[in-house]
Structure formats: structure tokens, C-alpha cells
Amino acid sequence: MGKTTAKLVWREIPGLDPNEFTGPNQRHIGYRSNVSNRRRYGFASISVAEQGQDKDEFFPTSAQLLKHPLAIAALVPKDAALFAAGAIAGAAAKTVIAPLDRVKLLMQTHGLRAGQDVAKKGIGFIEALTLIGKEEGIKGYWKGNLPQVIRVIPYSAVQLFAYEAYKKFFRGKDGELSVIGRLAAGACAGMTSTFVTYPLDVLRLRLAVEPGYKTMTEVAVTMLREEGFASFYNGLGPSLIGIAPYIAVNFCVFDLVKKSLPEKYQKRTETSLVTALVSATVATVMCYPLDTVRRQMQMKGSPYQTVLDAIPGIVARDGVVGLYRGFVPNALKTLPNSSIRLTTFDSVKRLIAAAEKELQKLIEQNRKKQEQSAT
């Protein structure tokens, strides 16, 4: 390390009246002028400068980076790396749990697709799982997964930035985010991301449960021609109503449970995993009926126009249990979804930390070599 010096610099501020500062924490710094016997006011700043070579001069060479490839990862901005990690984790999790999601969608919409005159309105988990394999083969379990993966990337991005923005907006005067503020920030972030990516969600549902469609483009063209642009936002109301409390409860419970644990456990990966599962379970039990309502309103030819129409209609046809159709596969997918997402994200964060440490190690090695050659 080079020598460090400190310099004290005084600058007079013309027109500054110290009497205007009446805050309890204000301190007036003055000095006597040699020209007149009056106190003049200015401000002082201390700057610390390191003498020696600029840090860039110790930056590893291309040959060094090739020998230590881990350090190359540190060249990527940390925020961008974490953002990419979240997107990759989300896409991987969605792909792994796609079969369970497909089964859940069929269970949620079977009664409406089967028609009012069919005696059996519900379909069980095993029956739906077997039906997909029998009629569509292995690929059928991942039908509609591509638009879901495509949707995850912008959804995660919008939700991430929106949540950070809303947290600043709802933060109190003391800079702290209250429980109510955290709930509001999560709700607004969930609604914002849902509104932006909702058409992709509708396309995914149509492609997954309606026969005859091969691609997402085909579904979109048919919807525009037969139902108009508004069909891309069918069921948006219950979606917003459903996602707002879900994200709000999920984030809030996660934060509160994690903060209640001893500090030595808060940064452990398994702690985050268990806490995420608890918060997701609580939020799902509370908000799942609205998800079922949303799915049935998205269906082509749905008789439901509003949430108030859909809830009594589903209960009249399938009973209260109809609101929880597909809950089992939805609950089962929570475990691998949360596990993959947290494990991937934590692994990338550890990789980023290791890369930064490796890069700093190379810089220090170059600095020491430079100092030894100078002496």
C-alpha cells in the first residue's frame, strides 16, 4: 500500500449566514479574519489521497486472467450478475416443475372444459397425470413451458426493479420500512409485473389446455382474429387481486420469520429454503382460490365476467373444493421450485464473492511485485 496523506482545505461561502442554521445538531465553524475583527464562516473538508500507482496499473493481464478464469466473473457488474442469476434460477425452476404445473392447470379447468352436462366435473391428480402421458406422450408434460419460461425473465426483472422502487416510496421518514410498507411494496410490485407480462400467461394457458394449437404464435393470431385484443387480458382483475396479497404475504412472512431467527442462522442457505417454503405455503393457502377463478376466466367461452360471478359459479358446480382444484400439485411444485431458485441464486452469489476475492488477490500480487521491483 502507498503512503496516505490528509489535506484540510478551507473555503469561504459568500453570502452564507450562520444564524439561519437553527437545527439542534448544527455546529458553526468559524475563524477570525486578519483583515477585520469579525468572525467569518466557511466549511472544511478533509480529503484522503493515496500516493502511488493507480489501481488500474495493478490490474491482472490477459495471461493472468486466463490462468485464473474465476477472476473473469468479477468483471461482470455485480447487479447484472445477480439479476441474471435470478432469471436463470426462475427459468430452471419453471422447467423442472412444468409437469406439475401442467397437471394443476388441467385440474383447475377440467370442469369448464368438460361442459355442464358431464356428470364428472372434477379430475384427480393421478388421473390428470396419466391422461397427459396417454394422449400427448412425454412432451405433453412440458407443453406450454416455453412461453412460461419467456414470461419468467421479464416478470422477474419487472418485479425486482418495481419492488426496490416501491420500497423506497413506502419507506418512512426514519428510513425504515414498516410491515405495512413492506406489504404495500410487495403488492404493488406483484401487480406491476403481472400487468406487464399477463398476455404471455394467457397464451401459455391456452397452449397448455386447449387442443389443436402447436405454437404460441398460432394461439395469439387466433385470439386476435376471433376474440380481439381484450382477450389477452381476460381474468386480469382476479389476477391482480390474487397476486397482490400473495406477493405481499410471501415477502412479509419471509422477512418476519427470518428476522425472528438467531443471527447465526439467518445467512444459511437451508434457513432461507425453509423460510421460503413456509411463506409460500401460507400465501398459497390464502390466495389459491383466486388463482382458480383467474384460470377459468381466461378460458375461451368462459361464462364468467367478474370475480363475483366466478366464485359462486364454481362453488355451485363443483362445491367449495372446486376453488382448490389443483392445489396438491401446486403445493408439490413449491418445494422444488423454491429449492432450485434459492440454491441457484445462492450458488451464483458465492461464485461472485469467490471471483471478487480471486481478482483482488491478483491485484495485490501485482502490487507487491511492483513494490519489490521499485525497491
Side-chain angles (χ1 to χ4, degrees):
M1 298 293 290
K3 296 181 180 179
T4 301
T5 60
K7 179 186 291 186
L8 180 62
V9 181
W10 290 87
R11 293 287 186 269
E12 182 177 358
I13 304 178
L16 178 64
D17 184 1
N19 295 322
E20 293 179 357
F21 297 93
T22 58
N25 297 324
Q26 296 293 336
R27 298 290 184 270
H28 301 308
I29 301 176
Y31 63 94
R32 291 290 180 181
S33 171
N34 294 328
V35 179
S36 60
N37 189 24
R38 64 183 178 87
R39 185 173 293 274
R40 303 173 65 186
Y41 290 86
F43 72 93
S45 65
I46 298 178
S47 62
V48 179
E50 181 177 312
Q51 293 181 345
Q53 300 294 331
D54 188 87
K55 184 178 179 180
D56 291 340
E57 296 189 17
F58 303 113
F59 197 81
T61 62
S62 298
Q64 287 179 307
L65 290 175
L66 290 176
K67 291 181 180 179
H68 302 82
L70 181 60
I72 298 177
L75 303 180
V76 180
K78 189 173 182 179
D79 290 341
L82 292 176
F83 176 80
I88 293 171
K94 284 296 181 184
T95 300
V96 172
I97 55 89
L100 289 172
D101 202 25
R102 179 82 198 281
V103 170
K104 184 200 74 167
L105 292 178
L106 288 182
M107 292 179 68
Q108 283 181 315
T109 60
H110 177 76
L112 186 61
R113 291 183 297 108
Q116 301 293 332
D117 298 330
V118 179
K120 186 177 181 180
K121 302 295 178 19
I123 184 173
F125 174 68
I126 300 299
E127 186 178 357
L129 190 65
T130 305
L131 184 63
I132 295 173
K134 182 179 179 180
E135 294 184 353
E136 305 178 53
I138 297 297
K139 292 182 179 180
Y141 293 107
W142 279 271
K143 185 178 180 181
N145 184 58
L146 179 60
Q148 179 70 344
V149 171
I150 294 174
R151 173 183 174 270
V152 164
I153 296 175
Y155 182 84
S156 299
V158 173
Q159 191 173 86
L160 174 65
F161 287 107
Y163 184 59
E164 292 301 319
Y166 286 127
K167 281 200 299 185
K168 294 179 181 178
F169 179 78
F170 289 110
R171 202 175 295 277
K173 294 181 179 180
D174 57 355
E176 296 294 327
L177 187 63
S178 64
V179 174
I180 300 299
R182 196 176 299 277
L183 287 170
C188 291
M191 289 191 291
T192 300
S193 55
T194 298
F195 179 81
V196 172
T197 61
Y198 193 77
L200 284 173
D201 195 37
V202 175
L203 290 175
R204 191 216 16 149
L205 173 70
R206 295 290 185 93
L207 187 62
V209 303
E210 293 187 4
Y213 292 119
K214 300 290 186 181
T215 65
M216 188 167 51
T217 302
E218 184 180 357
V219 178
V221 171
T222 302
M223 289 177 63
L224 282 173
R225 183 177 62 250
E226 298 181 0
E227 304 174 63
F229 180 77
S231 62
F232 288 96
Y233 284 93
N234 286 342
L236 177 62
S239 296
L240 295 179
I241 296 174
I243 198 64
Y246 179 82
I247 298 297
V249 172
N250 201 351
F251 285 7
C252 187
V253 172
F254 180 83
D255 288 342
L256 294 179
V257 172
K258 199 167 186 180
K259 287 182 179 180
S260 66
L261 298 174
E263 187 174 354
K264 64 179 181 179
Y265 295 115
Q266 291 183 8
K267 295 182 179 180
R268 297 176 61 173
T269 303
E270 53 268 33
T271 300
S272 298
L273 174 61
V274 174
T275 304
L277 290 176
V278 170
S279 62
T281 301
V282 172
T284 301
V285 171
M286 292 178 60
C287 306
Y288 191 80
L290 286 172
D291 186 55
T292 299
V293 169
R294 171 172 67 104
R295 294 303 184 187
Q296 297 210 11
M297 289 184 67
Q298 287 176 338
M299 292 292 293
K300 182 179 180 180
S302 174
Y304 309 127
Q305 300 298 322
T306 66
V307 180
L308 298 179
D309 292 335
I311 292 178
I314 295 173
V315 172
R317 187 183 67 244
D318 300 326
V320 176
V321 70
L323 294 173
Y324 283 91
R325 293 289 184 191
F327 181 82
V328 173
N330 185 74
L332 290 176
K333 78 174 185 177
T334 300
L335 178 58
N337 191 4
S338 300
S339 300
I340 294 170
R341 188 183 301 274
L342 287 173
T343 301
T344 303
F345 193 67
D346 286 345
S347 298
V348 174
K349 286 199 296 185
R350 287 194 296 268
L351 178 64
I352 294 172
E356 292 176 345
K357 185 176 180 180
E358 186 73 12
L359 181 62
Q360 289 301 320
K361 181 179 178 181
L362 292 176
I363 291 176
E364 286 300 318
Q365 289 178 354
N366 291 342
R367 185 191 298 275
K368 290 179 180 179
K369 289 180 180 179
Q370 184 78 8
E371 291 177 351
Q372 290 176 357
S373 63
T375 56

